[in-house]
Amino acid sequence: MQIILLGLPGAGKGTQAKVLAERHGLLHISTGDMFRQAAAEGTDLGRRAQEFMSRGELVPDEVTIAMLLERIARPDAAAGIMLDGFPRTIRQAEALDRALGERGAQIDVVLYMQVPEALLMQRLTGRWSCPSCGAIYHELTNPPKRSRVCDRCGAALMQREDDRPETVQARLDTNRAWTEALAAYYGKQGKLREVDGTGEPGKVTARLEGALRGAGSGARGVR
Ligand code: AMP
């Protein structure tokens, strides 16, 4: 299965992608994580990506597409992939379709997680993460015991630059534009499934699983 998880920032794509990938034996690929890791390692790719990331802009297509295609060509992607944060442009979607098509594969389903914008604002501006162990907290729903200190490893928590309130609204606006364009692109292919992304993470997972079950037979029927 090749699955894309679509949704605005804060919709919970990362969390759900990890759970679903694990359950279905898929490789979870987050291009945002790949760029952040490259930036932390100080590679050429990371330095290039960082320029755009720190401005809240998309990394250029040619860089992003090359990185993603190289990743999905590796053996550990053969059993299936769960894409989170890619594609973000129609050019990326087309390049992905072409690359999968060349090896007789295709995107089976695109799960579009829907969350009202007011809730996204609340979620995005309260998120803090641990730079050391990766634990994620939220000021309202999952605060650490000591303010801004990681419960697990004691490191000082960090707020991602693009989670700060002043940048969140602009980020939602630009993201909405391309997310809707991609939803239309996959909608035309009959692959889009809209899923309610509100409520407890476990309930959202169950809804996503339901959409996956519904999609599997239809997508296979096309081949
Ligand atoms: P994310 O963690 O998915 O929000 O990604 C963080 C940043 O990485 C984004 O704001 C972009 O600058 C960059 N990025 C991640 N995925 C892509 C993509 N598919 N196309 C272009 N830029 C991306």
Side-chain angles (χ1 to χ4, degrees), residues 56-137:
E57 291 170 15
L58 292 183
V59 177
D61 277 341
E62 57 273 22
V63 177
T64 308
I65 290 169
M67 177 180 78
L68 189 278
L69 294 189
E70 188 275 326
R71 185 66 193 92
I72 66 172
R74 287 194 234 158
D76 60 350
I81 52 177
M82 165 70 66
L83 291 172
D84 158 18
F86 185 98
R88 266 163 148 110
T89 67
I90 299 298
R91 257 186 76 200
Q92 291 179 11
E94 288 170 346
L96 176 64
D97 278 350
R98 257 197 315 277
L100 290 174
E102 278 165 14
R103 65 180 89 146
Q106 62 169 348
I107 292 297
D108 295 294
V109 62
V110 178
L111 302 171
Y112 186 6
M113 296 175 62
Q114 306 274 352
V115 177
E117 194 157 321
L119 190 53
L120 291 177
M121 279 298 284
Q122 228 181 10
R123 286 184 181 178
L124 287 169
T125 56
R127 186 164 61 177
W128 290 75
S129 62
C130 177
S132 173
C133 74
I136 295 172
Y137 300 90

Side-chain angles (χ1 to χ4, degrees), residues 3-207:
I3 303 171
I4 294 172
L5 218 48
L6 207 58
L8 291 177
K13 292 193 300 293
T15 307
Q16 296 295 337
K18 283 195 191 88
V19 175
L20 290 173
E22 170 120 24
R23 280 194 193 173
H24 294 270
L26 306 171
L27 177 71
H28 172 214
I29 301 176
S30 155
T31 43
D33 284 350
M34 290 175 79
F35 283 135
R36 275 187 291 277
Q37 191 182 340
E41 287 167 359
T43 63
D44 283 350
L45 171 74
R47 272 196 296 276
R48 216 169 148 206
Q50 185 62 40
E51 273 176 51
F52 297 92
M53 291 167 79
S54 58
R55 291 199 298 260
E57 291 170 15
L58 292 183
V59 177
D61 277 341
E62 57 273 22
V63 177
T64 308
I65 290 169
M67 177 180 78
L68 189 278
L69 294 189
E70 188 275 326
R71 185 66 193 92
I72 66 172
R74 287 194 234 158
D76 60 350
I81 52 177
M82 165 70 66
L83 291 172
D84 158 18
F86 185 98
R88 266 163 148 110
T89 67
I90 299 298
R91 257 186 76 200
Q92 291 179 11
E94 288 170 346
L96 176 64
D97 278 350
R98 257 197 315 277
L100 290 174
E102 278 165 14
R103 65 180 89 146
Q106 62 169 348
I107 292 297
D108 295 294
V109 62
V110 178
L111 302 171
Y112 186 6
M113 296 175 62
Q114 306 274 352
V115 177
E117 194 157 321
L119 190 53
L120 291 177
M121 279 298 284
Q122 228 181 10
R123 286 184 181 178
L124 287 169
T125 56
R127 186 164 61 177
W128 290 75
S129 62
C130 177
S132 173
C133 74
I136 295 172
Y137 300 90
H138 196 284
E139 281 172 356
L140 299 175
T141 55
N142 177 32
K145 291 193 183 74
R146 280 173 58 205
S147 177
R148 298 188 182 168
V149 175
C150 183
D151 289 346
R152 280 201 339 221
C153 71
L157 299 180
M158 284 178 46
Q159 188 169 42
R160 270 170 54 176
E161 203 167 298
D162 49 7
D163 288 343
R164 293 189 182 141
E166 58 275 23
T167 57
V168 167
Q169 187 64 56
R171 187 165 155 231
L172 284 177
D173 292 343
T174 50
N175 274 268
R176 192 183 311 97
W178 59 254
T179 301
E180 289 295 324
L182 285 166
Y185 177 88
Y186 290 111
K188 271 190 214 133
Q189 296 186 3
K191 293 175 179 171
L192 192 74
R193 301 287 180 278
E194 297 193 357
V195 177
D196 177 3
T198 62
E200 285 168 27
K203 288 198 176 125
V204 178
T205 307
R207 288 184 209 123

